[in-house]
Short mmCIF file of all heavy atoms in Angstrom, two decimals:
data_model
loop_
_atom_site.label_atom_id
_atom_site.label_comp_id
_atom_site.label_asym_id
_atom_site.label_seq_id
_atom_site.Cartn_x
_atom_site.Cartn_y
_atom_site.Cartn_z
N ILE A 194 -14.12 21.53 20.89
CA ILE A 194 -14.77 22.51 20.06
C ILE A 194 -16.14 21.95 19.61
O ILE A 194 -16.34 20.72 19.63
CB ILE A 194 -13.89 22.95 18.83
CG1 ILE A 194 -13.54 21.66 18.02
CG2 ILE A 194 -12.66 23.63 19.28
CD1 ILE A 194 -12.78 21.96 16.74
N GLY A 195 -17.01 22.78 19.21
CA GLY A 195 -18.36 22.42 19.01
C GLY A 195 -18.61 21.35 17.89
O GLY A 195 -19.51 20.55 18.04
N ARG A 196 -17.76 21.32 16.89
CA ARG A 196 -17.94 20.39 15.79
C ARG A 196 -17.39 18.96 16.07
O ARG A 196 -17.57 18.12 15.24
CB ARG A 196 -17.32 20.88 14.50
CG ARG A 196 -15.77 21.03 14.50
CD ARG A 196 -15.27 21.44 13.17
NE ARG A 196 -13.83 21.53 13.13
CZ ARG A 196 -13.09 22.56 13.45
NH1 ARG A 196 -13.70 23.64 13.89
NH2 ARG A 196 -11.75 22.56 13.44
N ARG A 197 -16.79 18.77 17.19
CA ARG A 197 -16.22 17.50 17.48
C ARG A 197 -17.32 16.47 17.89
O ARG A 197 -18.19 16.82 18.72
CB ARG A 197 -15.25 17.56 18.63
CG ARG A 197 -14.21 16.48 18.76
CD ARG A 197 -13.08 16.68 17.73
NE ARG A 197 -12.22 17.74 18.12
CZ ARG A 197 -11.40 18.29 17.26
NH1 ARG A 197 -11.35 17.95 16.02
NH2 ARG A 197 -10.61 19.37 17.65
N SER A 198 -17.41 15.36 17.24
CA SER A 198 -18.43 14.41 17.50
C SER A 198 -18.30 13.74 18.92
O SER A 198 -17.21 13.66 19.43
CB SER A 198 -18.46 13.33 16.42
OG SER A 198 -17.34 12.36 16.63
N LEU A 199 -19.43 13.31 19.49
CA LEU A 199 -19.38 12.67 20.76
C LEU A 199 -18.59 11.35 20.63
O LEU A 199 -17.91 10.94 21.65
CB LEU A 199 -20.82 12.35 21.24
CG LEU A 199 -21.62 13.57 21.63
CD1 LEU A 199 -23.01 13.20 22.05
CD2 LEU A 199 -21.00 14.32 22.77
N ASN A 200 -18.68 10.68 19.51
CA ASN A 200 -17.89 9.42 19.35
C ASN A 200 -16.39 9.75 19.51
O ASN A 200 -15.72 8.98 20.16
CB ASN A 200 -18.22 8.84 17.96
CG ASN A 200 -17.45 7.53 17.73
OD1 ASN A 200 -17.35 6.66 18.62
ND2 ASN A 200 -16.94 7.34 16.56
N ILE A 201 -15.92 10.75 18.85
CA ILE A 201 -14.49 11.10 18.91
C ILE A 201 -14.09 11.49 20.40
O ILE A 201 -13.08 11.08 20.89
CB ILE A 201 -14.16 12.20 17.93
CG1 ILE A 201 -14.29 11.72 16.47
CG2 ILE A 201 -12.73 12.72 18.16
CD1 ILE A 201 -13.48 10.53 16.13
N LEU A 202 -14.99 12.27 20.97
CA LEU A 202 -14.69 12.69 22.40
C LEU A 202 -14.63 11.50 23.30
O LEU A 202 -13.80 11.47 24.23
CB LEU A 202 -15.71 13.71 22.83
CG LEU A 202 -15.66 15.09 22.09
CD1 LEU A 202 -16.77 15.96 22.64
CD2 LEU A 202 -14.30 15.82 22.35
N ASP A 203 -15.51 10.47 23.09
CA ASP A 203 -15.48 9.30 23.92
C ASP A 203 -14.15 8.57 23.69
O ASP A 203 -13.58 8.06 24.67
CB ASP A 203 -16.69 8.40 23.54
CG ASP A 203 -17.99 8.90 24.07
OD1 ASP A 203 -17.97 9.76 24.96
OD2 ASP A 203 -19.04 8.47 23.61
N ARG A 204 -13.68 8.51 22.45
CA ARG A 204 -12.45 7.78 22.26
C ARG A 204 -11.28 8.48 22.92
O ARG A 204 -10.40 7.86 23.41
CB ARG A 204 -12.20 7.69 20.72
CG ARG A 204 -13.15 6.79 19.97
CD ARG A 204 -12.76 6.70 18.49
NE ARG A 204 -13.75 5.91 17.78
CZ ARG A 204 -13.71 5.55 16.51
NH1 ARG A 204 -12.62 5.89 15.80
NH2 ARG A 204 -14.63 4.82 15.90
N ILE A 205 -11.34 9.84 22.85
CA ILE A 205 -10.25 10.60 23.48
C ILE A 205 -10.26 10.42 24.97
O ILE A 205 -9.18 10.18 25.63
CB ILE A 205 -10.42 12.10 23.13
CG1 ILE A 205 -10.10 12.31 21.67
CG2 ILE A 205 -9.46 12.99 23.97
CD1 ILE A 205 -10.41 13.72 21.13
N ASN A 206 -11.44 10.38 25.65
CA ASN A 206 -11.49 10.22 27.05
C ASN A 206 -10.99 8.80 27.47
O ASN A 206 -10.29 8.70 28.48
CB ASN A 206 -13.00 10.43 27.55
CG ASN A 206 -13.34 11.88 27.48
OD1 ASN A 206 -12.51 12.75 27.58
ND2 ASN A 206 -14.65 12.14 27.24
N ILE A 207 -11.36 7.85 26.74
CA ILE A 207 -10.89 6.46 26.99
C ILE A 207 -9.39 6.40 26.80
O ILE A 207 -8.68 5.83 27.69
CB ILE A 207 -11.60 5.44 26.07
CG1 ILE A 207 -13.08 5.36 26.42
CG2 ILE A 207 -10.92 4.06 26.23
CD1 ILE A 207 -13.86 4.55 25.39
N ALA A 208 -8.83 7.00 25.77
CA ALA A 208 -7.40 6.94 25.49
C ALA A 208 -6.66 7.69 26.54
O ALA A 208 -5.53 7.26 26.90
CB ALA A 208 -7.18 7.58 24.09
N ARG A 209 -7.18 8.79 27.05
CA ARG A 209 -6.46 9.54 28.11
C ARG A 209 -6.25 8.64 29.34
O ARG A 209 -5.23 8.68 29.99
CB ARG A 209 -7.19 10.75 28.51
CG ARG A 209 -7.02 11.90 27.57
CD ARG A 209 -7.74 13.17 28.02
NE ARG A 209 -7.38 14.27 27.22
CZ ARG A 209 -8.22 15.27 26.87
NH1 ARG A 209 -9.48 15.20 27.25
NH2 ARG A 209 -7.83 16.29 26.11
N GLN A 210 -7.19 7.80 29.69
CA GLN A 210 -7.05 6.92 30.78
C GLN A 210 -6.03 5.84 30.53
O GLN A 210 -5.35 5.32 31.44
CB GLN A 210 -8.48 6.23 31.13
CG GLN A 210 -9.48 7.29 31.57
CD GLN A 210 -10.87 6.59 31.71
OE1 GLN A 210 -10.99 5.43 32.05
NE2 GLN A 210 -11.90 7.30 31.41
N GLN A 211 -5.93 5.49 29.25
CA GLN A 211 -4.94 4.42 28.84
C GLN A 211 -3.55 4.90 28.71
O GLN A 211 -2.55 4.29 29.21
CB GLN A 211 -5.36 3.77 27.55
CG GLN A 211 -6.70 2.99 27.58
CD GLN A 211 -7.12 2.52 26.19
OE1 GLN A 211 -7.22 3.30 25.28
NE2 GLN A 211 -7.25 1.25 26.06
N PHE A 212 -3.32 6.09 28.07
CA PHE A 212 -2.04 6.55 27.59
C PHE A 212 -1.59 7.84 28.06
O PHE A 212 -0.50 8.34 27.71
CB PHE A 212 -2.10 6.56 26.02
CG PHE A 212 -2.52 5.30 25.39
CD1 PHE A 212 -3.63 5.24 24.60
CD2 PHE A 212 -1.85 4.05 25.61
CE1 PHE A 212 -4.12 4.07 24.03
CE2 PHE A 212 -2.29 2.88 25.07
CZ PHE A 212 -3.39 2.88 24.28
N GLY A 213 -2.38 8.57 28.90
CA GLY A 213 -1.97 9.86 29.34
C GLY A 213 -2.32 11.02 28.44
O GLY A 213 -3.39 11.03 27.87
N SER A 214 -1.43 11.99 28.27
CA SER A 214 -1.77 13.16 27.53
C SER A 214 -1.47 13.15 26.02
O SER A 214 -2.02 13.93 25.26
CB SER A 214 -1.11 14.39 28.17
OG SER A 214 0.32 14.25 28.02
N ARG A 215 -0.60 12.15 25.59
CA ARG A 215 -0.28 12.11 24.20
C ARG A 215 -0.56 10.73 23.65
O ARG A 215 -0.13 9.72 24.21
CB ARG A 215 1.19 12.40 24.00
CG ARG A 215 1.54 13.86 24.14
CD ARG A 215 3.03 14.13 23.86
NE ARG A 215 3.32 15.55 23.63
CZ ARG A 215 4.56 15.98 23.35
NH1 ARG A 215 5.62 15.24 23.25
NH2 ARG A 215 4.74 17.32 23.14
N PHE A 216 -1.35 10.72 22.60
CA PHE A 216 -1.71 9.43 21.94
C PHE A 216 -2.35 9.71 20.59
O PHE A 216 -2.43 10.86 20.16
CB PHE A 216 -2.77 8.69 22.85
CG PHE A 216 -3.91 9.57 23.32
CD1 PHE A 216 -5.05 9.74 22.48
CD2 PHE A 216 -3.87 10.25 24.48
CE1 PHE A 216 -6.08 10.52 22.87
CE2 PHE A 216 -4.85 11.08 24.87
CZ PHE A 216 -6.02 11.23 24.06
#
Side-chain angles (χ1 to χ4, degrees):
I194 57 176
R196 66 176 180 271
R197 202 80 70 199
S198 73
L199 291 177
N200 181 42
I201 295 300
L202 293 176
D203 285 344
R204 292 184 184 186
I205 291 172
N206 289 332
I207 293 171
R209 278 184 174 143
Q210 297 174 32
Q211 295 174 302
F212 308 119
S214 62
R215 284 183 167 181
F216 50 86

